[in-house]
Amino acid sequence: MTVFKWAFPIYGALHFLPMFLFKWKTFISNPMSMLGKAGWGTTRSAAFLAAFVASFQCKCLTQVTTARIPMNGLKQNAISLGVFETLPL
């Protein structure tokens, strides 16, 4: 939720400003439709970034948690080096 709140104004500017600058005639003729499209695009973009950050944090947390499990040999070294996904263990 923190990432969503942080990204919303940024993506809001990226969706609303071009609409005002380049499609102002359409905005004047149909403002509610244009505001709805820009609001929906802003929400989608911010939600995607928040989901991406959450999945990346889960991946990192899983790697750190897995690295603390005592193992022997190649698998332990691969986990500690961060190449867990690249080796068929």
Side-chain angles (χ1 to χ4, degrees):
M1 193 63 167
T2 304
V3 175
F4 183 84
K5 289 179 184 177
W6 172 80
F8 195 81
I10 295 168
Y11 283 116
L14 290 175
H15 283 88
F16 285 102
L17 288 179
M19 178 182 62
F20 291 133
L21 294 175
F22 302 115
K23 295 186 177 187
W24 63 273
K25 288 181 183 178
T26 309
F27 177 73
I28 295 297
S29 66
N30 196 0
M32 293 309 287
S33 174
M34 296 295 284
L35 287 174
K37 287 180 184 179
W40 178 244
T42 300
T43 303
R44 273 191 337 203
S45 298
F48 173 76
L49 182 64
F52 179 78
V53 169
S55 66
F56 186 75
Q57 286 177 341
C58 287
K59 177 186 176 292
C60 292
L61 180 64
T62 303
Q63 282 185 339
V64 168
T65 304
T66 308
R68 291 183 181 164
I69 299 172
M71 296 179 206
N72 56 6
L74 180 62
K75 193 170 185 177
Q76 175 62 36
N77 292 334
I79 292 171
S80 64
L81 291 174
V83 292
F84 184 72
E85 290 84 16
T86 60
L87 295 175
L89 302 174

